Structures are given as structure tokens and as C-alpha cells.
Amino acid sequence: MKAEYHKKLQIAARQTILIHRADTLVRIILRTIVASLKVKHAGIFIYDKVKDEYVVKVSRGHSGIKVPAGFIKTRKDSPLIRYFTDKSIDFPKEHILWPKICRRIKSYKTKKDIKIKKFLEALKFELSLYEAKACIPGFFRKDLVGVLFLGEKRNKKSFGEEELRFLSVLASDVVMALKNAWLIEDLNRQLALNKRLLFQTVAALASSIEAKDKYTIGHTERVANYCLAIAYVLRKRGKIEKWEKFLENLKIAALFHDIGKIGIPESILNKEMALSDEEKKIIQNHPLIGANILNHIEEFKEALEGVRYHHEKYDGTGYPFHLKGRKIPLIASIIALADTFDAMVTDRPYRRAVSQDKAIEEIKKAKGIQFAPFVVDAFLNIYHSKGNLWELSQQTGRQLLLNPDKLF
Amino acid sequence: MAMEKKKVLIVDDESEIVDFLGRFLQRLGITAIKANSGEEALKKYSQEHPDFIFLDIQMPDKDGITILKEIRKADSAVKVFMITGKDDKDLQAKAKKYGALDYITKPLDLSELTVKINNYIL
């Protein structure tokens, strides 16, 4: 019987390595404890960082005697927690056993013991609340991470030394698993936070161009929204590899596509008459200026291509590099179409907006000439399913850039 | 003189909680009656006439506030403790407005609960 019990515990311990979710592991360990030691119930108080108290997170046993998970907490200054954490309470810290506590209480007879006697009585009372007969602490270095508590054994016998040693091993396994899980949680949280910060910074920086060129107000975000919509369709059609990375780069490139206009004089940007050849040359520099600005950021290497080539045309007549066909990176092809469409349907210094339907007609005509055919197809697909593209570009605004999944 | 045992009605859609609280209160010398839904709570209430009630504020069939109102219509004396899921100040204020004596927030501290029961009930 004893060999069997060791085996079960070993299996539980081995699962520590295999199981990534801490709560699953804790559940398995408690199940093993209840089955092997034949206790009526078992549970574990786990330290809750947010609440700064200990909460029963996992428990096993029959309904009634089992402490429902998430239903019970105990404070940091409760007798149970203090027994393990308070240095002035001078008892062996490896476990609490009900019969030992009862014996100790009886052994204190003199007045000078009153304080410690009172503490033990309070501890006994707390144990009775959970019907706990044994408690085993789980420490990480000096921090009490959790307290395992066990109910009475079905045969009412007390816990043996060997059993208690194994319980200590399990308790430290639980602690390690929890610590790992918390570490991963923290890292993921930090990662998500950094990403949010990045996109908010990108969006803020990108909007700086709007201060200079009044016709681009809202343009950047609308273009980004169209780009994301096109990308989602292309992804469904299997045209995009490494989706996550692509999406990130596309968001950044779309927001930054016109950042180079910062280097163009306002007199040219806001000119209401036709531009001279000289002026055209200057304005056609903006993809390069933008790429040079972003070149300072190592992580933006791929996004940078979207900025640098977003005025290239499929037939090679675009600027500044006259790239042709598939030589134009996909990221730039998507931005080129979104950018042109938005420019058409909004007022510009030199002309009024055209209707959406008219703009769509123009896009169709330019398929395979100005734009990559499959990008045009994807855009038309959105137009046919959504109807109103303006609404799409507006509906979620900045939010969409942070949670593009909301779009579909 | 032997005091008559106090009677409590425990209402929660999670039977584990009802069973646990029931056993807990019984160990304090209180008779526990259990209900797992709002409908069952109202039925047991009119049959058993409990001295006090632990009432879950959120249940699938009828929420705790509605039950509280219905009970208050019939009886203004019964002491009602609401069990709330989180620190929802609005809901707690509402519960007080409709005559709940107090509320307990999950996860709850059994030592504190024992003090409350001693003060209010025993």
C-alpha cells in the first residue's frame, strides 16, 4: 500500500514538469492527496497578490465538508498565516497538526504563557472553521505562497512522519508551479503593455503630420483601417505568411506611410493650384524621407518597406523607385491602394472628393496597372460585403488598431 | 431554559456553497435549510419561516434583489444577508435600500462571518 502511495505522488510530481497551467497541477496534486491519504477533504490557500490575502483556490472532497474554491479567504494576520510567517511564534514551521496544537494548549498552565496559549486557541478555532487536521506551508525563499490543509482521515488515524514529509515535497512543487505560472503571466502582461505603448506611440507620432497637412487629418487612421481590412481578406485567401508579424508591420507602416511629409514645406502640401515639376519632385520625396526617419528603429525594418514603396505602381510608373509588379512588397501594395482610395473620396487642396462608387470604378480600372490585381480583388470583396467603406474606416478608429479582431 | 434553535435559509445557485455554509452554520448550532434557486428560496421561505437568510445576489433564475423585495413584502422582520460576488458598491447599496441587514463578499473570511453571526443572530 505504501509503495502505491509513493508511486502516485511520484506521478503527481512528474506532472509538475509537463503541466504548464499551475491550477491544473494543483488540482492533480490535491486529488492525489485525497485519494492516497484517504482524507475527507483537502484544499489550498494561495496568496493573492492583488488582494494581499490568502484565498482557497483549489479544493477536493465531498460537497459540504469541502471548502468551495474561491469562496473562502484568510487574512495575512490570521493565526494560520501568522503561525508560519511570524518569527515571534517559536514553533516548528514545517507543519501544523491538530492533536499537537490541542496538547500544547493543555500544557500551558502558568500566567506567563497566556499570550501564546491565546494564540494557539485562536489557531485551533481557525483550523476548526476549515475542519483542517493538518496544514503544510509552501514557501518560496522567505515568502509564504500557499498553505495546504487536509481534513480528517477516513479511518480517523493521525498523519505519519513520512506522509508529512511527502506533503512538504508536494507543497513545494505547488509553489514552484505557481511561481512559474505567475512569472509567465507577468511577462505576458508586460509584453501586452509594451505593445500597446508602442502602438499608441506610433499613432501619436503619426498624427504629428496632421498638424502640418490639414488634409491628412483622419487620413492616416482611415488608411490604416482599410489596410487592416484588406489584410484580413488576403489572409483568408492564404496570401499572407507569418500573419501576426505581418499585421504588426502593416499597422506601423500604415500609420507612418506619410510621416515623410514632415520634411515637405507646408506651402507645397497645402497648395491649391497644380504643382510645378519642381514641387512635384519635392513632394515625391516623402516616401524616402519617411523611410529615412524610420530607419533609426531597428525593429521597423519591414514596416519601413511599406512606407518607402507606397507610391510605387504595379506597371512601374510610380515613384521614387519605379518598382514593378511583384517587386513591390505586399505591405506597400496594400497601403498604396488604401491611400489612393481615401485620397479620392476626400477633399484635396486641388480638387473635390468623388463618390465612393466612382472611386471604386477608378480602382477597378487601375487593376493590374496601378495596383496589384489580388489586392484590388480583396478590396472589392470588402466593398461588396460591407457596402459602406467610409463607415468601415470610421467605426472603430484608434481602437481598431489595437484590437483589429473586432473588425470581423 | 433551552433556547430554541435558530433557523437559517441559505440561497445560492452553487450547491457547493450552500452545502458548505449549511454544515458551517449547523456546527454553530443553527438549523440550515437550503435552496439552490430563487423559486425554491421563496417556496422554502414560506414553508419554513427562517429567522435569517443568506441570499446570493446573483442567480440565473431570479436575482437576489428581486427575491429580497418579495420576501420584504411578506415579512419585514427576517434578517437578510446578501452574498455578493465582488465589491459591487451599487448592488450593495441597493440591497441595503431594500432592507438587507448586511452583506458578505466572496471570498469571505469565516472568522469575520462567525463574529457577524454571533452579533446579529445568536
Side-chain angles (χ1 to χ4, degrees):
Chain A
M1 195 228 123
K2 197 142 232 178
E4 171 124 336
Y5 149 67
H6 282 197
K7 216 165 104 193
K8 275 186 183 162
L9 290 185
Q10 272 170 5
I11 290 167
R14 211 171 303 137
Q15 276 162 329
T16 320
I17 309 159
L18 300 174
I19 291 161
H20 299 295
R21 288 180 57 98
D23 50 347
T24 313
L25 174 86
V26 177
R27 215 165 283 136
I28 287 171
I29 286 182
L30 282 184
R31 196 185 305 149
T32 309
I33 289 171
V34 170
S36 311
L37 273 67
K38 301 200 166 43
V39 290
K40 287 183 180 166
H41 74 116
I44 183 161
F45 279 103
I46 293 174
Y47 180 63
D48 186 315
K49 264 186 286 187
V50 181
K51 297 193 182 101
D52 194 27
E53 56 199 14
Y54 292 78
V55 180
V56 175
K57 287 279 167 70
V58 183
S59 61
R60 298 284 301 180
H62 285 297
S63 192
I65 188 162
K66 163 189 176 177
V67 179
F71 188 61
I72 299 298
K73 68 174 182 194
T74 192
R75 285 166 30 170
K76 262 168 59 178
D77 60 355
S78 68
L80 175 63
I81 302 305
R82 273 184 57 212
Y83 183 91
F84 294 118
T85 55
D86 191 335
K87 284 201 181 71
S88 71
I89 295 158
D90 193 17
F91 292 123
K93 303 284 190 195
E94 57 269 23
H95 52 244
I96 296 173
L97 288 174
W98 173 269
K100 267 193 195 168
I101 299 295
C102 294
R103 276 202 301 275
R104 268 190 210 279
I105 291 171
K106 278 190 193 143
S107 74
Y108 292 119
K109 296 209 168 72
T110 58
K111 248 194 175 155
K112 73 176 186 15
D113 298 327
I114 194 95
K115 210 174 144 197
I116 189 70
K117 189 173 178 173
K118 275 211 163 133
F119 171 79
L120 290 175
E121 273 166 354
L123 175 64
K124 188 182 163 191
F125 173 71
E126 188 175 358
L127 294 179
S128 77
L129 296 173
Y130 322 126
E131 299 188 57
K133 299 296 176 207
C135 297
I136 297 96
F139 282 99
F140 183 79
R141 298 200 182 112
K142 280 179 181 161
D143 301 329
L144 183 66
V145 175
V147 178
L148 199 61
F149 60 93
L150 312 182
E152 192 178 37
K153 281 190 179 179
R154 286 183 202 289
N155 63 12
K156 303 217 184 326
K157 282 190 178 161
S158 54
F159 294 93
E161 278 302 317
E162 197 172 354
E163 286 171 332
L164 288 166
R165 264 201 301 279
F166 264 99
L167 286 168
S168 290
V169 172
L170 287 183
S172 56
D173 277 357
V174 167
V175 167
M176 284 313 291
L178 288 172
K179 272 281 167 189
N180 284 338
W182 289 343
L183 195 66
I184 288 168
E185 265 172 37
D186 281 352
L187 282 175
N188 283 337
R189 223 193 327 264
Q190 199 55 45
L191 205 64
L193 196 71
N194 286 348
K195 238 175 213 175
R196 277 232 328 251
L197 195 63
L198 169 71
F199 283 115
Q200 281 165 352
T201 310
V202 167
L205 201 55
S207 70
S208 65
I209 183 61
E210 296 183 354
K212 191 165 175 181
D213 179 359
K214 60 183 174 183
Y215 286 93
T216 60
I217 291 175
H219 169 74
T220 313
E221 271 184 32
R222 290 194 302 273
V223 168
N225 286 350
Y226 293 137
C227 285
L228 291 179
I230 294 169
Y232 269 85
V233 176
L234 289 176
R235 181 206 191 190
K236 264 193 238 158
R237 297 180 175 183
K239 303 272 189 197
I240 295 174
E241 289 164 36
K242 295 184 188 158
W243 168 247
E244 298 286 328
K245 195 77 209 144
F246 183 85
L247 192 67
E248 236 164 67
N249 285 321
L250 179 63
K251 280 193 224 172
I252 292 164
L255 284 172
F256 276 152
H257 76 276
D258 271 344
I259 194 77
K261 285 189 177 170
I262 282 179
I264 310 291
E266 270 168 77
S267 57
I268 299 179
L269 287 177
N270 293 321
K271 192 173 175 185
E272 289 178 14
M273 284 174 295
L275 298 175
S276 69
D277 286 349
E278 187 64 22
E279 287 166 334
K280 270 187 197 158
K281 248 189 197 160
I282 293 172
I283 212 165
Q284 287 182 357
N285 254 333
H286 82 269
L288 263 181
I289 299 171
N292 287 340
I293 291 171
L294 299 185
N295 205 16
H296 293 287
I297 304 169
E298 185 72 26
E299 290 301 310
F300 287 174
K301 280 275 177 289
E302 283 168 65
L304 191 143
E305 297 206 321
V307 177
R308 187 186 279 144
Y309 303 121
H310 80 276
H311 276 292
E312 300 294 337
K313 291 181 184 174
Y314 199 69
D315 62 1
T317 63
Y319 61 85
F321 294 98
H322 316 295
L323 291 190
K324 215 172 169 176
R326 295 198 166 269
K327 289 253 167 71
I328 305 167
L330 175 59
I331 189 167
S333 300
I334 295 172
I335 296 171
L337 195 154
D339 185 27
T340 309
F341 177 79
D342 191 67
M344 281 197 275
V345 298
T346 50
D347 289 333
R348 293 280 129 163
Y350 41 91
R351 60 149 180 75
R352 305 284 298 167
V354 304
S355 76
Q356 236 183 65
D357 292 341
K358 180 101 174 43
I360 289 289
E361 281 314 308
E362 294 295 322
I363 298 272
K364 275 187 197 164
K365 271 188 226 159
K367 177 175 167 179
I369 301 164
Q370 186 174 348
F371 307 116
F374 68 100
V375 177
V376 172
D377 290 342
F379 193 62
L380 293 179
N381 175 279
I382 301 160
Y383 179 62
H384 292 311
S385 64
K386 292 268 172 192
N388 192 337
L389 286 171
W390 181 259
E391 224 167 70
L392 167 81
S393 76
Q394 295 289 307
Q395 62 187 7
T396 37
R398 209 150 280 186
Q399 211 47 40
L400 178 67
L401 295 165
L402 300 174
N403 310 300
D405 294 316
K406 281 191 179 157
L407 189 59
F408 291 90
Chain B
M1 197 180 77
M3 285 249 293
E4 205 183 322
K5 263 183 151 187
K6 296 275 186 187
K7 225 192 250 181
V8 59
L9 172 63
I10 307 161
V11 189
D12 199 307
D13 58 310
E14 285 179 63
S15 60
E16 257 183 27
I17 288 179
V18 174
D19 288 349
F20 177 78
L21 272 183
R23 186 180 165 104
F24 178 72
L25 293 166
Q26 264 157 358
R27 286 195 292 135
L28 294 176
I30 297 163
T31 306
I33 306 145
K34 303 167 185 177
N36 287 116
S37 70
E39 280 306 323
E40 198 188 349
L42 290 170
K43 208 174 109 203
K44 291 259 171 87
Y45 171 75
S46 54
Q47 285 169 356
E48 303 272 355
H49 305 289
D51 299 290
F52 64 106
I53 303 173
F54 280 102
L55 182 53
D56 186 10
I57 215 157
Q58 264 164 339
M59 282 182 295
D61 68 330
K62 255 184 192 181
D63 71 273
I65 301 282
T66 310
I67 299 166
L68 177 63
K69 281 191 213 165
E70 285 182 39
I71 287 170
R72 274 284 166 265
K73 258 190 248 164
D75 178 356
S76 58
V78 64
K79 293 166 180 167
V80 181
F81 296 84
M82 304 304 284
I83 307 173
T84 64
K86 52 181 181 322
D87 246 332
D88 189 334
K89 294 271 179 286
D90 287 347
L91 222 50
Q92 285 164 356
K94 218 169 156 187
K96 285 238 166 158
K97 187 182 151 202
Y98 289 108
L101 185 65
D102 207 343
Y103 50 82
I104 50 179
T105 309
K106 287 190 268 188
L108 54 103
D109 187 316
L110 288 179
S111 308
E112 283 169 19
L113 181 65
T114 310
V115 172
K116 268 188 188 174
I117 289 170
N118 281 328
N119 287 345
Y120 285 127
I121 296 149
L122 298 176

